[in-house]
Each structure stands twice: as structure tokens, then as C-alpha cells.
Amino acid sequence: MLDCAIIGGGPAGLAAGLYATRGGLKSVALFERGMPGGQITQSSEIENYPGFFDHTKSGMDFMDGWQKQCFHFGLEHRMDEVLQIQKYGENFTIQIAGKDPVSAKSVIVCTGSTPKKIGIPGEDEFFGRGISTCATCDGFFYKNKEIAVIGGGDTALEEAYYLSNICSKVYIIHRRNEFRAAPSTIQKVQNKENIEIILDATAKEITGDNTGVSGILLESKNGNIIKLEVPGIFVFVGYNVNNNVLKSSDNSFLCDVNEEGQVIVNLKMHTSIEGLFAAGDIRMDAPKQVICAAGDGATAALEVISYIQERS
Amino acid sequence: MLDCAIIGGGPAGLAAGLYATRGGLKSVALFERGMPGGQITQSSEIENYPGFFDHTKSGMDFMDGWQKQCFHFGLEHRMDEVLQIQKYGENFTIQIAGKDPVSAKSVIVCTGSTPKKIGIPGEDEFFGRGISTCATCDGFFYKNKEIAVIGGGDTALEEAYYLSNICSKVYIIHRRNEFRAAPSTIQKVQNKENIEIILDATAKEITGDNTGVSGILLESKNGNIIKLEVPGIFVFVGYNVNNNVLKSSDNSFLCDVNEEGQVIVNLKMHTSIEGLFAAGDIRMDAPKQVICAAGDGATAALEVISYIQERS
């Protein structure tokens, strides 16, 4: 029986593992099929993690240090695929692909959310080398440069506006002829001098070379091909919340989730189920930043320690 | 007129400053009378900040890097003492000791809380060199060693229990003849094999040498002096929430606070007042960890950016 099962190995899961093991819990396992680290390992550079400011280090280098720190304190990494988390009585059962289920006194779910892709040539190739899904993380790397934003919802427009305060010019590319965003947001974007809106245009291909992105090819409604030469492309076409592990066979969720499928938590990262905590991008109102996910993970682990102490 | 005034220069304030400036706000000032960094600068070693795992670096070294990172993106440090934050109409007025007031469109209050001291010889001298006010932060440094905990409330007993899972023995020293904690917590502590409770004992002096703490002298009710030889002493005698800047002359608070004087926030670090955000140890339910405060600061700064964008 595990004291704590941590599901997911991004910043939230790793921070939870560090705090849970260093805090004296004896058996803590982090379930992550691949290498821990999360989305940030795809970034070529990090400069907004407070206290870490080394332009020579990549996201992979950065998370490598985290892992070592966690394992130093006794965190166990299980390279298993978690299928479902169930609660029976006081304890949890973790269903694992191809293996026996594992029991745990507490669970921290940190499976995050995944930005949706548009699915065009060049997108995978240049991800993290000119293509980003996070304006806060990567906008500054394009200070005084021209960039393109793909998407037409609230997030796309808000992030485009955010980027327009940093970049010299922002193209917003949307495949429909009107935006699906709040009228005030649309107006703000329309009024901003250095934002150019391209409607009825479909992204066809992202071009580049071994230095990264060089531009994007668009097809207009009447079939014309437009080429934008930009070193940066931000894609905001929605997120998939990775909440499958909380779903039972009848599609109901183990704990309360909001309309978008994000786990409802309080400031202590408690979910609606005792002993079940959530941290990072899977929770409601997550700012989707490494530093915030790490804070969540630490918070959840401290609550797990209290919970286990109360039970014993 | 500042876009954002950040009050307090600990981890929450510095993280807020980094995110606000890097996110494109033009005029952001951090008000901190002394050097920024916060309580952590008094620590000789840090090992629970995810991604930072270098035993050769002190808390001061650690925060020095943070500061440089923030100032690199344009954060301005004002070495002023903030007396009071007021709101007039849409904007805030920051009252400053000995200077003209400053106007700001938004404010993030990050003034933290301060652990109370017992006020005995050796306490200041050995703080951070064997004396700690944070079990989560420093407990691990005393793995399999004997330590003493001073205090008799819920926090003291819970932290003592936490420490008893890491340390070989925990003495709990309390000046009264009974604890002021929840009955279940008291019972748990009483039943724990490696916890020894010393009631009716007053801490008189903390002893040590240039390697740090060596022990503590106690006086029992009948005047006997007891010496405990321990390398670590944890003091849990309460916190002062540094909320004076939110108090008006009639002692009412600018925003809603709870019974303990902590600022009430939601997951986005919004307070009850539009444009006013709180981050770090001044808020309710704060885990009092650097990583959590930093996450708060980043969250608040991102909300400030949205708020400023909506206003413009």
C-alpha cells in the first residue's frame, strides 16, 4: 500500500514527489510512462522560472536537475500507464495497463492538459523552435519581432493582445470569418495598431530550417496562398484536459470537475474526494506556468502529509 | 502612474515582478525597504526549491540570482517603506514614509507574515544556523538527529509530529501545563514513541558555537535548569501577518481578511477589491513555502496583466 500515488510527471508531479518524500512519507511513487519533466522539456530556453536564469540551458536540462533532486529524497518513478483511479472505502486503487492494480492511501493527480494541435506539416518538427502554445512563457523571446497567432477564441485573442505589447507586430490568423470571443476582447484587438487580423484563412504549412521557424503558408477562402515571414507562431486552438484517469466506465468523474473538465479544487488543492488532491494544469484556473504547477504540487504534498498523519 | 505596485520583496513579490515586467507591463515597481529576498535569505541551505539543488549555495546566493533575473526584465526596486495602500476611484494611492504618495493602476500585496520570536539569548544569533521556524523547509537537515520544538498550539504539535517522522527524537517544550491544540492532535503526539513532552518549562537560552546551535537551557516550574543537547530547535509560537499596509486609520482593512488577519483570495489571487491582488504568506491557507509564494506571485501578475488590458 502506497502512502501516496502521484499520477503524472510534469512540474506539479515532481514538486509533489519532492515535498512528499522529503516530508517523511515512506512509500511515494510517481507514475509516468515516459521520462518525467512535462511539456517544458520541449522548450529550448527558460527564463521565467524564478531563480533559474541560464540561457545556455534547455527545458530538458532544467527538468533533469529536478528529477535528480526528487529521486535523491526517495521518490520512486514507475514507468507505468495509469488507466483509472478508483476509491474503495478509505483507499484508492490505481488501475495500470498490463499490470496488477496498486493500492494507495492518497492520490495527487497531476496529469495536466495538452494544447491541441492544428495538424499541419512543420508543426511537430518546429515545436519548441519557433512554435509555442504559451505566450507568457515564450512571448518575450520575440520582443520587437513579428509573430503570428493562430486561433479565434477568447484565449487566442487575449494572448495576441498580450503579445502585441511585446512584439512589433502580431498577425491573428483565423479560419472563420468572425471570432468566437467576447465582444470587448474583439474590439480591443481590432483597435490595437500593431495587430493585423487575417480572417477566412487556413494555416497550411509551417516552414523553417535548422535555426527554427521561418514562416507560415496560409490559404485564403478563394484559394490564394499567402506567405507570412515570421520567426514565431503561437497556436491557441484549445486544450485537452487529461482527466481520463478520473473517468469511470459510465463516463462519470471520480471527483467534481467544471464544465471544461478541469478538477475543482480549493487553495489547498483538495478535490471533492477525501484523500484525492489535484495539482497543475488539470485543475480549474491553472495559470499553466511551471512555477505555478510546482507550487500546486508542493501544496498538495503538504496536505497529503497532514491527511496521512490524521489517518494514522 | 504605475501600472503595478508590488508591495514586499520576498519570493512572491519578486516572482510577481518577473512575470509583470516580462509580460510587457511598462512601469512596475517593487517596494521593499531593504534588499529583496525575504526570510529565505536567512537560510544557510536550500534543498526543497524544485530545480535548485546545490548544497554549496545559501539562501542569500539563491535570492541574489532571482533579483538579477527580475531586474533584467525592467523591474524597478524602490527602497521605500510603504505605510498604507488606499483606493480612490479606479486607482490606488501608495502612502510612503517621508515621500510623496505614488499612484498605481493595480497593486499586488506580498508583505508576508513573520514568525514570532520567544525573545531569549541566542535566538537571533543562531537563527538559520540551528534555529528554524519551518519544519517543512529544515526538518530534513536533522534526519535521524534529536531536535527540540518550542510551542504548545496546533501548529507546534503538528510540526512536531511531522518532524518525528524524520528525526530520531523530538522534544516538545511548552511553558504551560497543557497544550492549546485539538484533542486528536495532542493524543497523536502523546502516543508517538520518539516524542518526549516537557511541560511547565520555559526556554531560557539557546547555546551554540560557530558551527551553530548546540543546545537549549530550560527552567522548570520549580526553578530547576534542564539542558537539552540538540543541534536543531524549531520555534512555533505563532505568526504576525504583515497586513498593516492594508489598514486604514479606523483599523478597518482595505479588503476582506479572515479571523487571523490573512487576506482572503481565490485561486487567481484576487482579493475582494478590484485591482488589488495578494500573494504569498499574507494570504489565507498559504503553505509558507518559497515555491508556493513564487507560484502565487506569478499567478497574481498574470491577473494584473489581464486587468490592465481590460481597463485600457
Side-chain angles (χ1 to χ4, degrees):
Chain A
M1 168 89 71
L2 292 171
D3 282 335
C4 182
I6 298 167
I7 319 298
L14 284 170
L18 171 61
Y19 266 76
T21 51
R22 192 168 177 275
L25 291 189
K26 300 298 175 216
S27 58
V28 181
L30 182 145
F31 294 81
E32 171 65 54
R33 203 163 29 150
M35 281 309 292
Q39 294 169 53
I40 193 74
T41 55
Q42 295 166 18
S43 294
S44 56
E45 195 174 343
I46 295 165
E47 60 178 26
N48 69 346
Y49 188 79
F52 188 87
F53 192 45
D54 181 345
H55 285 285
T56 65
K57 290 199 174 164
S58 69
M60 192 69 90
D61 298 330
F62 174 59
M63 291 314 295
D64 193 52
W66 275 48
Q67 285 181 51
K68 288 190 184 125
Q69 187 178 16
C70 293
F71 300 145
H72 173 81
F73 292 104
L75 179 65
E76 180 198 349
H77 174 205
R78 297 198 187 173
M79 296 183 92
D80 292 332
E81 183 187 1
V82 172
L83 299 174
Q84 197 189 335
I85 304 162
Q86 300 160 323
K87 192 172 188 189
Y88 292 106
E90 231 187 350
N91 297 316
F92 294 87
T93 300
I94 319 290
Q95 298 290 348
I96 292 169
K99 290 194 184 172
D100 285 341
V102 172
S103 294
K105 289 181 185 171
S106 68
V107 172
I108 306 175
V109 58
C110 316
T111 44
S113 67
T114 311
K116 289 183 187 167
K117 294 192 170 180
I118 23 179
I120 57 170
E123 192 178 15
D124 287 331
E125 187 182 348
F126 296 110
F127 194 88
R129 300 194 299 131
I131 304 177
S132 170
T133 53
C134 179
T136 309
C137 316
D138 299 326
F140 197 83
F141 298 127
Y142 303 96
K143 195 173 181 182
N144 300 324
K145 293 180 183 169
E146 301 198 350
I147 57 108
V149 166
I150 300 176
D154 277 300
T155 302
L157 267 51
E158 280 159 19
E159 298 295 68
Y161 192 88
Y162 173 97
L163 289 163
S164 74
N165 290 323
I166 299 171
C167 305
S168 60
K169 181 160 190 176
V170 175
Y171 296 95
I172 303 178
I173 301 155
H174 184 41
R175 62 196 167 129
R176 302 185 197 282
N177 69 353
E178 57 183 4
F179 292 119
R180 293 160 293 113
S184 62
T185 308
I186 296 173
Q187 195 172 18
K188 211 171 57 183
V189 161
Q190 284 170 337
N191 292 344
K192 190 74 193 276
E193 273 176 21
N194 64 338
I195 294 181
E196 181 175 333
I197 295 165
I198 306 177
L199 295 174
D200 276 326
T202 310
K204 300 303 279 184
E205 185 181 344
I206 293 169
T207 58
D209 53 34
N210 52 18
T211 66
V213 164
S214 63
I216 182 166
L217 299 180
L218 313 174
E219 185 177 340
S220 71
K221 197 171 53 174
N222 51 23
N224 290 338
I225 296 292
I226 306 164
K227 177 161 189 189
L228 298 179
E229 292 188 358
V230 288
I233 295 163
F234 288 80
V235 180
F236 303 112
V237 293
Y239 283 91
N240 292 314
V241 182
N242 302 327
N243 57 19
N244 274 337
V245 294
L246 296 169
K247 252 185 209 162
S248 67
S249 50
D250 66 356
N251 270 330
S252 68
F253 287 96
L254 176 59
C255 61
D256 291 349
V257 301
N258 68 12
E259 281 183 1
E260 295 167 76
Q262 297 156 338
V263 176
I264 295 173
V265 293
N266 63 13
L267 284 165
K268 295 177 170 184
M269 303 300 136
H270 293 201
T271 70
S272 59
I273 297 293
E274 215 185 9
L276 177 67
F277 303 82
D281 294 3
I282 195 177
R283 72 156 167 98
M284 62 187 279
D285 291 337
K288 298 194 168 69
Q289 296 297 306
V290 173
I291 188 68
C292 303
D296 279 10
T299 302
L302 292 173
E303 291 299 308
V304 160
I305 293 171
S306 295
Y307 175 74
I308 299 281
Q309 283 184 1
E310 272 162 34
R311 271 183 57 170
S312 64
Chain B
M1 169 88 70
L2 293 171
D3 282 334
C4 183
I6 298 167
I7 319 299
L14 284 170
L18 170 62
Y19 266 76
T21 51
R22 192 167 178 274
L25 291 189
K26 300 299 175 215
S27 58
V28 182
L30 181 145
F31 293 81
E32 171 65 54
R33 203 165 25 152
M35 281 308 293
Q39 294 169 51
I40 193 74
T41 55
Q42 295 166 17
S43 294
S44 56
E45 194 174 345
I46 295 165
E47 59 178 29
N48 68 347
Y49 188 78
F52 187 87
F53 193 45
D54 181 345
H55 285 284
T56 66
K57 291 200 173 161
S58 69
M60 192 69 91
D61 298 331
F62 174 60
M63 291 312 296
D64 192 54
W66 275 48
Q67 285 181 51
K68 290 193 180 122
Q69 186 179 17
C70 293
F71 299 144
H72 173 82
F73 292 103
L75 178 65
E76 180 198 347
H77 174 204
R78 296 198 187 173
M79 296 182 91
D80 292 332
E81 183 187 2
V82 172
L83 299 174
Q84 197 189 335
I85 305 162
Q86 300 160 323
K87 193 172 188 188
Y88 292 107
E90 233 187 349
N91 297 317
F92 294 87
T93 299
I94 319 290
Q95 299 289 350
I96 292 169
K99 291 194 182 172
D100 285 341
V102 173
S103 294
K105 290 181 185 170
S106 68
V107 172
I108 306 176
V109 59
C110 316
T111 44
S113 67
T114 310
K116 288 185 188 166
K117 294 191 172 182
I118 23 180
I120 57 170
E123 192 177 15
D124 287 331
E125 188 183 349
F126 295 110
F127 194 88
R129 301 195 298 130
I131 304 177
S132 170
T133 53
C134 179
T136 309
C137 316
D138 299 325
F140 197 83
F141 296 127
Y142 303 98
K143 195 173 182 183
N144 300 324
K145 292 180 183 168
E146 300 198 351
I147 59 108
V149 165
I150 300 176
D154 276 301
T155 302
L157 267 50
E158 280 159 19
E159 299 297 67
Y161 192 88
Y162 173 97
L163 289 164
S164 74
N165 290 323
I166 300 171
C167 305
S168 59
K169 181 160 189 176
V170 174
Y171 295 95
I172 303 178
I173 299 156
H174 184 41
R175 60 194 168 133
R176 302 185 197 280
N177 69 353
E178 58 183 3
F179 293 119
R180 294 160 293 111
S184 62
T185 308
I186 296 175
Q187 194 172 18
K188 211 170 58 184
V189 161
Q190 285 170 335
N191 292 343
K192 189 74 193 276
E193 273 175 22
N194 64 336
I195 294 182
E196 181 175 332
I197 295 165
I198 306 177
L199 296 175
D200 276 327
T202 311
K204 300 303 279 184
E205 186 181 345
I206 292 169
T207 58
D209 53 32
N210 52 19
T211 66
V213 164
S214 63
I216 182 165
L217 299 181
L218 313 176
E219 185 177 341
S220 71
K221 197 172 52 174
N222 51 24
N224 291 337
I225 297 291
I226 307 164
K227 179 163 188 188
L228 298 179
E229 291 188 0
V230 288
I233 294 164
F234 288 79
V235 180
F236 303 113
V237 293
Y239 282 91
N240 292 314
V241 182
N242 302 326
N243 57 19
N244 275 337
V245 296
L246 297 170
K247 253 185 209 162
S248 68
S249 50
D250 66 356
N251 269 330
S252 68
F253 287 96
L254 177 58
C255 61
D256 292 347
V257 302
N258 67 13
E259 281 183 2
E260 295 167 75
Q262 299 156 338
V263 176
I264 295 172
V265 294
N266 62 15
L267 285 165
K268 295 177 170 183
M269 302 301 135
H270 293 202
T271 70
S272 59
I273 297 292
E274 216 184 8
L276 177 68
F277 303 82
D281 294 2
I282 195 177
R283 72 156 167 98
M284 63 187 277
D285 290 339
K288 299 195 167 68
Q289 296 297 306
V290 173
I291 188 69
C292 302
D296 279 9
T299 302
L302 292 173
E303 292 299 308
V304 160
I305 293 171
S306 296
Y307 175 74
I308 299 281
Q309 283 184 359
E310 271 161 34
R311 271 182 58 167
S312 64

